[in-house]
Amino acid sequence: MTQPASWSHYAAPRHAMRRLLISCHGAGEQSGPQPPFRRRSLPTRGLVYISEGHGEYEEYEPHGRKVPVLGPAVIWLTPGTLHGYGSDARGWSEHWVLFEGESFAAFEASGLGGHHRPVQALARPVDDADEIFDQLREAVGAVGPRAEIAASVATQRLLLAILDAADPVEGTTDGASVIDLVSRDATRPLSVAARAAAVGLSTRELGVLVRAATGLTVNDFVIEVRIARAQSLLAETALDVGQIAAQVGYDDAAYFSRIFHRRAGAAPSAFRRQQSRGQIDENHPSRAESIPENPMI
């Protein structure tokens, strides 16, 4: 197993950096057997690139799932998600970055990240990973605007390299590509049958594939994707609840608020207070009214 340098640096980027660019809040490398994380929750996004080795990712809420990790792979960490991960007894080679920023949405639209698929297998190791982490080590270990910009550039370079290593094949119906396609259309008001037709499968085939990949029904998967996107918008933007509801596929802000509370365990305004680090003013969602469940999720 390749032995990366063992190091970790943390940073506190200024608000303008967090608002305008992808900001890097920490990075590091280590290898070999390490104590596992248990029941941890982060205020920012994170990624853990496993270049070599085996282990497991565990998500405690809301579904209590465990996902095997086989390098090369990336573990995607979302804000506020109670999780844990660690290698098997032989250890692994691990590189990690903590980051946040609205511009990550462009990478999500290309198939990276996401609460629905926290472990992403890669077709090949990430190109230039050692060089990129050398840049992160230097940039995050320094202070000042120039260092913050350098760390942002290195983080985006890493994200692009991960996107290249994932090597999605357009038009295929393997599990990963179907999950990505359904995720990308999650904000559209489609029935399950329409979602299946969009990826060239029967309703039953899509249901079997989604459950095998995520442990969820198609409807629950779509809701999870929507709620995950709403969480990012609440934490990282000043959009009001109605605007966020519309962006993630709900015409009625009150209905969205009830779904969000049920899935995230807190009202949208409360989640924003918990995760926005005080940078975004609390908004006041519309008064809820009783409406029926919508079959066009």
Side-chain angles (χ1 to χ4, degrees):
M1 178 181 296
T2 303
Q3 300 292 316
S6 179
W7 61 271
S8 61
H9 292 313
Y10 294 88
R14 59 206 72 210
H15 177 56
M17 178 65 63
R18 299 199 300 271
R19 182 170 55 86
L20 299 173
L21 298 174
I22 288 180
S23 57
C24 180
H25 294 248
E29 304 177 58
Q30 52 267 330
S31 64
Q34 303 286 333
F37 285 106
R38 300 293 187 200
R39 304 188 70 84
R40 182 179 72 160
S41 177
L42 295 173
T44 66
R45 295 181 181 273
L47 70 85
V48 185
Y49 167 52
I50 307 301
S51 56
E52 298 177 273
H54 301 182
E56 185 177 71
Y57 168 86
E58 182 171 8
E59 194 169 285
Y60 297 92
E61 297 171 350
H63 303 293
R65 56 184 166 181
K66 294 183 178 181
V67 184
V69 180
L70 172 61
V74 176
I75 302 171
W76 296 101
L77 307 175
T78 55
T81 298
L82 198 62
H83 68 273
Y85 62 84
S87 69
D88 62 17
R90 293 168 293 182
W92 62 18
S93 180
E94 171 187 323
H95 306 64
W96 57 269
V97 179
L98 304 177
F99 67 96
E100 64 180 341
E102 294 179 41
S103 55
F104 181 64
F107 291 95
E108 284 188 300
S110 299
L112 294 188
H115 179 77
H116 62 284
R117 186 154 61 96
V119 177
Q120 183 172 13
L122 302 179
R124 58 183 183 275
V126 172
D127 291 337
D128 301 324
D130 290 340
E131 179 184 334
I132 293 170
F133 275 86
D134 283 345
Q135 293 177 348
L136 283 167
R137 182 177 186 174
E138 180 178 352
V140 184
V143 295
R146 186 184 185 284
E148 292 177 11
I149 293 171
S152 174
V153 170
T155 301
Q156 292 180 76
R157 184 183 173 193
L158 175 64
L159 292 168
L160 183 59
I162 291 171
L163 185 62
D164 289 341
D167 196 23
V169 180
E170 295 296 332
T172 64
T173 56
D174 61 69
S177 63
V178 168
I179 294 301
D180 288 340
L181 290 171
V182 176
S183 175
R184 293 174 201 178
D185 278 345
T187 60
R188 296 177 61 194
L190 302 175
S191 66
V192 174
R195 294 187 192 282
V199 295
L201 298 174
S202 70
T203 301
R204 181 182 180 281
E205 288 171 333
L206 180 62
V208 169
L209 190 152
V210 171
R211 184 172 289 280
T214 68
L216 304 172
T217 66
V218 175
N219 280 345
D220 279 341
F221 171 71
V222 168
I223 292 171
E224 289 292 325
V225 173
R226 289 181 172 190
I227 297 305
R229 292 181 183 175
Q231 287 174 316
S232 296
L233 291 170
L234 286 164
E236 299 171 2
T237 77
L239 296 173
D240 65 38
V241 171
Q243 291 172 311
I244 290 173
Q247 285 202 20
V248 301
Y250 295 101
D251 293 331
D252 189 291
Y255 178 72
F256 161 74
S257 294
R258 291 200 298 279
I259 291 288
F260 187 95
H261 190 286
R262 189 184 312 156
R263 298 286 174 146
S269 57
F271 180 87
R272 170 166 278 168
R273 287 195 299 271
Q274 294 167 0
Q275 301 297 334
S276 67
R277 297 188 171 199
Q279 298 294 337
I280 299 172
D281 291 336
E282 177 186 352
N283 59 69
H284 301 281
S286 302
R287 180 169 52 90
E289 58 181 282
S290 177
I291 61 175
E293 295 290 323
N294 188 347
M296 304 288 282
I297 296 178

